[in-house]
Amino acid sequence: MKDSEIQHVIDIVGEKGMLDEIGWPNGKNLFKIDPKMPYEEAEKLIDQNPDKAFLFSLSNVPIERREHIQLAGLSQRLDTQYYLKNTTGTKNIAFLGASQTVYYSDLLVGLYLKEINSQVALKQVDVADLDKFPVAINSGTQWSNESLQRLHPQEWTPRPASGIFTVICHKENISLRKQIAKLHFSESQVLGNIERRVEQLILAKSGILLLGTYSFIDAQHNYQIYLVIDRGNGLEHLNTSQSTSHGLEDALMAKLI
């Protein structure tokens, strides 16, 4: 990650209201926020001082962890779906021509764009510069422009467990765990677990690259999940839904033929 991108992330998860956005307004003095810190470094610091705790994106926390490292709670999910800023008048990305350039920062955006419109020119730039260009795509968590068109998550699928934050701490840090438990969002736990379980199942299969997976509860209270994979023959988009979360991952994986 480039220095400017790191700074942009720091602006988001630092002292600019990020804790309020994830539904934890009272957590400012409970844990350290440092988006540049690798997960492994945070574990070492907790080993050295069991009273330390750190806020991490769930997508950056390994599924398999040492027994004494606990996830104290999960935040409300930030908006991580992708949005298009387009001032050219062209309403559909597929209709953009070779003379037009789409700017993006997230590598996933470039991969998705190539599948949807191979004619348009692509340019990866620093996330902080995206607002400068007439046609740009980025996720909701890192966007300042308000004139945006939401892109459907079935085609523009975020990374597993993105937008959900968790506090990692020592299992003996009971006082902190009790405080964070009061801030915990159970829906994030259900949806995050679904996505991470799918990630785990995909990683166990050879020849399949997972790009994104996204689960949510729709207006009819059904559980939906979208998946994007690459088996070397272009991107594949899969989805399934059911009335309960139980077995949703297996129902999705059954479509991998």
Side-chain angles (χ1 to χ4, degrees), residues 86-99:
N86 185 0
T87 61
T88 68
T90 304
K91 300 299 183 182
N92 193 308
I93 293 173
F95 298 152
L96 294 172
S99 63

Side-chain angles (χ1 to χ4, degrees), residues 93-107:
I93 293 173
F95 298 152
L96 294 172
S99 63
Q100 294 171 300
T101 300
V102 178
Y103 294 85
Y104 64 96
S105 175
D106 187 336
L107 180 61

Side-chain angles (χ1 to χ4, degrees), residues 46 52-53 68-70 72 167-171 173 176-177:
I46 292 172
K52 285 188 176 292
H68 68 282
I69 300 294
Q70 297 286 305
V167 174
I168 65 166
C169 65
H170 198 283
K171 70 176 182 179
N173 197 341
L176 176 66
R177 291 173 60 189

